[in-house]
């Protein structure tokens, strides 16, 4: 993506958020970490059908973006814990209304016509 396109995308806060969490697994990772600190294997089990490779990549990106903190302890086997940073927790809470809306759409209680209008709007 060109620098001009990236700068244009950063002008819209929604695009910034979707750039941070706009993958298949990142919202689920944030949600599961909002339940408490997790070790890698615990997190993988809690998420479900995600490969170790993909989980590792997603955690690295979330850590790089300041949303997840990775803490490695001493000993063998190496103990690595993951937790949300303050920014990660704040972002996760901001995703709650989006999740609620998505659940209503999935349940068929929000209807949008093909032309994009809301049939229930006045």
């Amino acid at each position: 993506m060109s620098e001009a396109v990236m700068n244009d995308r950063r002008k819209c806060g929604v695009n910034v958020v979707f750039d941070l969490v706009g993958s298949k697994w990142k919202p689920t990772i944030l949600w599961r970490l909002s339940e408490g600190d997790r070790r890698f294997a615990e997190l993988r089990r809690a998420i479900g059908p995600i490969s170790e490779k993909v989980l590792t990549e997603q955690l690295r990106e979330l850590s790089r973006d300041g949303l997840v903190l990775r803490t490695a302890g001493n000993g063998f086997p190496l103990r690595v814990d993951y937790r949300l940073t303050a920014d990660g927790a704040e972002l996760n809470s901001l995703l709650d209304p989006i999740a609620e809306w998505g659940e209503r759409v999935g349940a068929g209680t929000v209807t949008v016509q093909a032309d994009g209008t809301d049939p229930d709007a006045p």
Side-chain angles (χ1 to χ4, degrees), residues 91-112:
L91 176 58
N92 186 65
S93 69
L94 295 171
L95 293 174
D96 285 342
I98 294 170
E100 291 169 9
W101 185 85
E103 289 168 4
R104 288 195 322 269
V105 168
T109 58
V110 174
T111 307
V112 177

PDB file of all heavy atoms in Angstrom, residues 91-112:
ATOM      1  N   LEU A  91      -9.655  -0.960  23.698  1.00  0.00           N
ATOM      2  CA  LEU A  91     -10.131  -1.318  22.366  1.00  0.00           C
ATOM      3  C   LEU A  91     -11.117  -2.470  22.434  1.00  0.00           C
ATOM      4  O   LEU A  91     -12.168  -2.440  21.779  1.00  0.00           O
ATOM      5  CB  LEU A  91      -8.962  -1.682  21.449  1.00  0.00           C
ATOM      6  CG  LEU A  91      -9.327  -2.165  20.051  1.00  0.00           C
ATOM      7  CD1 LEU A  91     -10.166  -1.120  19.309  1.00  0.00           C
ATOM      8  CD2 LEU A  91      -8.080  -2.508  19.267  1.00  0.00           C
ATOM      9  N   ASN A  92     -10.829  -3.477  23.242  1.00  0.00           N
ATOM     10  CA  ASN A  92     -11.733  -4.605  23.373  1.00  0.00           C
ATOM     11  C   ASN A  92     -13.109  -4.149  23.856  1.00  0.00           C
ATOM     12  O   ASN A  92     -14.132  -4.598  23.345  1.00  0.00           O
ATOM     13  CB  ASN A  92     -11.162  -5.661  24.312  1.00  0.00           C
ATOM     14  CG  ASN A  92     -12.018  -6.891  24.343  1.00  0.00           C
ATOM     15  OD1 ASN A  92     -12.159  -7.584  23.342  1.00  0.00           O
ATOM     16  ND2 ASN A  92     -12.619  -7.157  25.486  1.00  0.00           N
ATOM     17  N   SER A  93     -13.144  -3.249  24.815  1.00  0.00           N
ATOM     18  CA  SER A  93     -14.440  -2.765  25.313  1.00  0.00           C
ATOM     19  C   SER A  93     -15.171  -1.959  24.248  1.00  0.00           C
ATOM     20  O   SER A  93     -16.401  -1.966  24.201  1.00  0.00           O
ATOM     21  CB  SER A  93     -14.263  -1.953  26.597  1.00  0.00           C
ATOM     22  OG  SER A  93     -13.613  -0.726  26.335  1.00  0.00           O
ATOM     23  N   LEU A  94     -14.437  -1.281  23.399  1.00  0.00           N
ATOM     24  CA  LEU A  94     -15.069  -0.524  22.317  1.00  0.00           C
ATOM     25  C   LEU A  94     -15.626  -1.438  21.230  1.00  0.00           C
ATOM     26  O   LEU A  94     -16.530  -1.043  20.491  1.00  0.00           O
ATOM     27  CB  LEU A  94     -14.071   0.460  21.703  1.00  0.00           C
ATOM     28  CG  LEU A  94     -13.594   1.570  22.629  1.00  0.00           C
ATOM     29  CD1 LEU A  94     -12.455   2.351  21.995  1.00  0.00           C
ATOM     30  CD2 LEU A  94     -14.738   2.485  23.005  1.00  0.00           C
ATOM     31  N   LEU A  95     -15.113  -2.656  21.146  1.00  0.00           N
ATOM     32  CA  LEU A  95     -15.613  -3.623  20.165  1.00  0.00           C
ATOM     33  C   LEU A  95     -16.911  -4.284  20.625  1.00  0.00           C
ATOM     34  O   LEU A  95     -17.622  -4.874  19.811  1.00  0.00           O
ATOM     35  CB  LEU A  95     -14.553  -4.689  19.872  1.00  0.00           C
ATOM     36  CG  LEU A  95     -13.295  -4.197  19.159  1.00  0.00           C
ATOM     37  CD1 LEU A  95     -12.273  -5.319  19.068  1.00  0.00           C
ATOM     38  CD2 LEU A  95     -13.615  -3.628  17.790  1.00  0.00           C
ATOM     39  N   ASP A  96     -17.232  -4.176  21.921  1.00  0.00           N
ATOM     40  CA  ASP A  96     -18.456  -4.796  22.443  1.00  0.00           C
ATOM     41  C   ASP A  96     -19.718  -4.359  21.701  1.00  0.00           C
ATOM     42  O   ASP A  96     -20.526  -5.211  21.311  1.00  0.00           O
ATOM     43  CB  ASP A  96     -18.606  -4.548  23.942  1.00  0.00           C
ATOM     44  CG  ASP A  96     -17.662  -5.398  24.775  1.00  0.00           C
ATOM     45  OD1 ASP A  96     -17.142  -6.410  24.248  1.00  0.00           O
ATOM     46  OD2 ASP A  96     -17.446  -5.053  25.952  1.00  0.00           O
ATOM     47  N   PRO A  97     -19.940  -3.055  21.475  1.00  0.00           N
ATOM     48  CA  PRO A  97     -21.154  -2.662  20.730  1.00  0.00           C
ATOM     49  C   PRO A  97     -21.174  -3.207  19.300  1.00  0.00           C
ATOM     50  O   PRO A  97     -22.239  -3.556  18.786  1.00  0.00           O
ATOM     51  CB  PRO A  97     -21.112  -1.128  20.727  1.00  0.00           C
ATOM     52  CG  PRO A  97     -20.205  -0.750  21.836  1.00  0.00           C
ATOM     53  CD  PRO A  97     -19.229  -1.880  21.983  1.00  0.00           C
ATOM     54  N   ILE A  98     -20.008  -3.318  18.686  1.00  0.00           N
ATOM     55  CA  ILE A  98     -19.942  -3.891  17.341  1.00  0.00           C
ATOM     56  C   ILE A  98     -20.324  -5.369  17.400  1.00  0.00           C
ATOM     57  O   ILE A  98     -21.070  -5.859  16.548  1.00  0.00           O
ATOM     58  CB  ILE A  98     -18.534  -3.703  16.729  1.00  0.00           C
ATOM     59  CG1 ILE A  98     -18.268  -2.208  16.511  1.00  0.00           C
ATOM     60  CG2 ILE A  98     -18.382  -4.484  15.427  1.00  0.00           C
ATOM     61  CD1 ILE A  98     -16.847  -1.883  16.144  1.00  0.00           C
ATOM     62  N   ALA A  99     -19.848  -6.069  18.417  1.00  0.00           N
ATOM     63  CA  ALA A  99     -20.184  -7.486  18.586  1.00  0.00           C
ATOM     64  C   ALA A  99     -21.685  -7.658  18.811  1.00  0.00           C
ATOM     65  O   ALA A  99     -22.308  -8.559  18.235  1.00  0.00           O
ATOM     66  CB  ALA A  99     -19.402  -8.084  19.745  1.00  0.00           C
ATOM     67  N   GLU A 100     -22.267  -6.795  19.636  1.00  0.00           N
ATOM     68  CA  GLU A 100     -23.710  -6.872  19.887  1.00  0.00           C
ATOM     69  C   GLU A 100     -24.502  -6.644  18.604  1.00  0.00           C
ATOM     70  O   GLU A 100     -25.469  -7.348  18.329  1.00  0.00           O
ATOM     71  CB  GLU A 100     -24.109  -5.858  20.960  1.00  0.00           C
ATOM     72  CG  GLU A 100     -23.588  -6.212  22.331  1.00  0.00           C
ATOM     73  CD  GLU A 100     -23.746  -5.076  23.328  1.00  0.00           C
ATOM     74  OE1 GLU A 100     -24.421  -4.067  23.013  1.00  0.00           O
ATOM     75  OE2 GLU A 100     -23.185  -5.205  24.440  1.00  0.00           O
ATOM     76  N   TRP A 101     -24.094  -5.670  17.817  1.00  0.00           N
ATOM     77  CA  TRP A 101     -24.768  -5.406  16.549  1.00  0.00           C
ATOM     78  C   TRP A 101     -24.628  -6.617  15.624  1.00  0.00           C
ATOM     79  O   TRP A 101     -25.589  -7.050  14.997  1.00  0.00           O
ATOM     80  CB  TRP A 101     -24.187  -4.155  15.890  1.00  0.00           C
ATOM     81  CG  TRP A 101     -24.903  -3.766  14.641  1.00  0.00           C
ATOM     82  CD1 TRP A 101     -26.035  -3.013  14.538  1.00  0.00           C
ATOM     83  CD2 TRP A 101     -24.541  -4.119  13.297  1.00  0.00           C
ATOM     84  NE1 TRP A 101     -26.398  -2.866  13.219  1.00  0.00           N
ATOM     85  CE2 TRP A 101     -25.500  -3.535  12.444  1.00  0.00           C
ATOM     86  CE3 TRP A 101     -23.505  -4.860  12.746  1.00  0.00           C
ATOM     87  CZ2 TRP A 101     -25.436  -3.681  11.058  1.00  0.00           C
ATOM     88  CZ3 TRP A 101     -23.456  -4.998  11.366  1.00  0.00           C
ATOM     89  CH2 TRP A 101     -24.421  -4.409  10.543  1.00  0.00           C
ATOM     90  N   GLY A 102     -23.425  -7.191  15.573  1.00  0.00           N
ATOM     91  CA  GLY A 102     -23.195  -8.364  14.740  1.00  0.00           C
ATOM     92  C   GLY A 102     -24.046  -9.545  15.159  1.00  0.00           C
ATOM     93  O   GLY A 102     -24.547 -10.299  14.316  1.00  0.00           O
ATOM     94  N   GLU A 103     -24.229  -9.709  16.472  1.00  0.00           N
ATOM     95  CA  GLU A 103     -25.088 -10.795  16.954  1.00  0.00           C
ATOM     96  C   GLU A 103     -26.537 -10.568  16.536  1.00  0.00           C
ATOM     97  O   GLU A 103     -27.233 -11.519  16.175  1.00  0.00           O
ATOM     98  CB  GLU A 103     -24.967 -10.915  18.473  1.00  0.00           C
ATOM     99  CG  GLU A 103     -23.621 -11.465  18.906  1.00  0.00           C
ATOM    100  CD  GLU A 103     -23.357 -11.321  20.398  1.00  0.00           C
ATOM    101  OE1 GLU A 103     -24.260 -10.859  21.135  1.00  0.00           O
ATOM    102  OE2 GLU A 103     -22.242 -11.661  20.815  1.00  0.00           O
ATOM    103  N   ARG A 104     -27.000  -9.311  16.572  1.00  0.00           N
ATOM    104  CA  ARG A 104     -28.368  -9.016  16.140  1.00  0.00           C
ATOM    105  C   ARG A 104     -28.525  -9.263  14.643  1.00  0.00           C
ATOM    106  O   ARG A 104     -29.531  -9.823  14.202  1.00  0.00           O
ATOM    107  CB  ARG A 104     -28.753  -7.571  16.478  1.00  0.00           C
ATOM    108  CG  ARG A 104     -28.957  -7.348  17.961  1.00  0.00           C
ATOM    109  CD  ARG A 104     -29.685  -6.045  18.276  1.00  0.00           C
ATOM    110  NE  ARG A 104     -29.352  -4.909  17.448  1.00  0.00           N
ATOM    111  CZ  ARG A 104     -28.401  -4.011  17.707  1.00  0.00           C
ATOM    112  NH1 ARG A 104     -27.669  -4.130  18.790  1.00  0.00           N
ATOM    113  NH2 ARG A 104     -28.194  -2.992  16.899  1.00  0.00           N
ATOM    114  N   VAL A 105     -27.523  -8.884  13.857  1.00  0.00           N
ATOM    115  CA  VAL A 105     -27.577  -9.138  12.414  1.00  0.00           C
ATOM    116  C   VAL A 105     -27.591 -10.638  12.160  1.00  0.00           C
ATOM    117  O   VAL A 105     -28.377 -11.146  11.365  1.00  0.00           O
ATOM    118  CB  VAL A 105     -26.396  -8.473  11.675  1.00  0.00           C
ATOM    119  CG1 VAL A 105     -26.288  -8.967  10.245  1.00  0.00           C
ATOM    120  CG2 VAL A 105     -26.539  -6.966  11.694  1.00  0.00           C
ATOM    121  N   GLY A 106     -26.728 -11.360  12.873  1.00  0.00           N
ATOM    122  CA  GLY A 106     -26.667 -12.812  12.723  1.00  0.00           C
ATOM    123  C   GLY A 106     -27.961 -13.494  13.115  1.00  0.00           C
ATOM    124  O   GLY A 106     -28.337 -14.515  12.553  1.00  0.00           O
ATOM    125  N   ALA A 107     -28.667 -12.908  14.081  1.00  0.00           N
ATOM    126  CA  ALA A 107     -29.941 -13.479  14.530  1.00  0.00           C
ATOM    127  C   ALA A 107     -31.106 -13.021  13.659  1.00  0.00           C
ATOM    128  O   ALA A 107     -32.233 -13.459  13.848  1.00  0.00           O
ATOM    129  CB  ALA A 107     -30.201 -13.083  15.979  1.00  0.00           C
ATOM    130  N   GLY A 108     -30.833 -12.129  12.719  1.00  0.00           N
ATOM    131  CA  GLY A 108     -31.883 -11.657  11.818  1.00  0.00           C
ATOM    132  C   GLY A 108     -32.763 -10.563  12.393  1.00  0.00           C
ATOM    133  O   GLY A 108     -33.817 -10.268  11.841  1.00  0.00           O
ATOM    134  N   THR A 109     -32.332  -9.913  13.478  1.00  0.00           N
ATOM    135  CA  THR A 109     -33.158  -8.856  14.064  1.00  0.00           C
ATOM    136  C   THR A 109     -32.831  -7.479  13.512  1.00  0.00           C
ATOM    137  O   THR A 109     -33.523  -6.523  13.805  1.00  0.00           O
ATOM    138  CB  THR A 109     -33.024  -8.833  15.604  1.00  0.00           C
ATOM    139  OG1 THR A 109     -31.641  -8.635  15.942  1.00  0.00           O
ATOM    140  CG2 THR A 109     -33.528 -10.135  16.208  1.00  0.00           C
ATOM    141  N   VAL A 110     -31.755  -7.363  12.738  1.00  0.00           N
ATOM    142  CA  VAL A 110     -31.431  -6.120  12.038  1.00  0.00           C
ATOM    143  C   VAL A 110     -31.578  -6.416  10.561  1.00  0.00           C
ATOM    144  O   VAL A 110     -30.971  -7.348  10.044  1.00  0.00           O
ATOM    145  CB  VAL A 110     -29.995  -5.638  12.346  1.00  0.00           C
ATOM    146  CG1 VAL A 110     -29.638  -4.436  11.487  1.00  0.00           C
ATOM    147  CG2 VAL A 110     -29.854  -5.315  13.817  1.00  0.00           C
ATOM    148  N   THR A 111     -32.406  -5.640   9.886  1.00  0.00           N
ATOM    149  CA  THR A 111     -32.659  -5.878   8.471  1.00  0.00           C
ATOM    150  C   THR A 111     -32.178  -4.684   7.665  1.00  0.00           C
ATOM    151  O   THR A 111     -32.501  -3.547   7.980  1.00  0.00           O
ATOM    152  CB  THR A 111     -34.167  -6.072   8.220  1.00  0.00           C
ATOM    153  OG1 THR A 111     -34.638  -7.095   9.094  1.00  0.00           O
ATOM    154  CG2 THR A 111     -34.425  -6.464   6.780  1.00  0.00           C
ATOM    155  N   VAL A 112     -31.410  -4.968   6.666  1.00  0.00           N
ATOM    156  CA  VAL A 112     -30.957  -3.927   5.746  1.00  0.00           C
ATOM    157  C   VAL A 112     -31.358  -4.381   4.350  1.00  0.00           C
ATOM    158  O   VAL A 112     -31.118  -5.515   3.952  1.00  0.00           O
ATOM    159  CB  VAL A 112     -29.432  -3.722   5.828  1.00  0.00           C
ATOM    160  CG1 VAL A 112     -28.970  -2.691   4.823  1.00  0.00           C
ATOM    161  CG2 VAL A 112     -29.021  -3.319   7.240  1.00  0.00           C
TER     162      VAL A 112
END
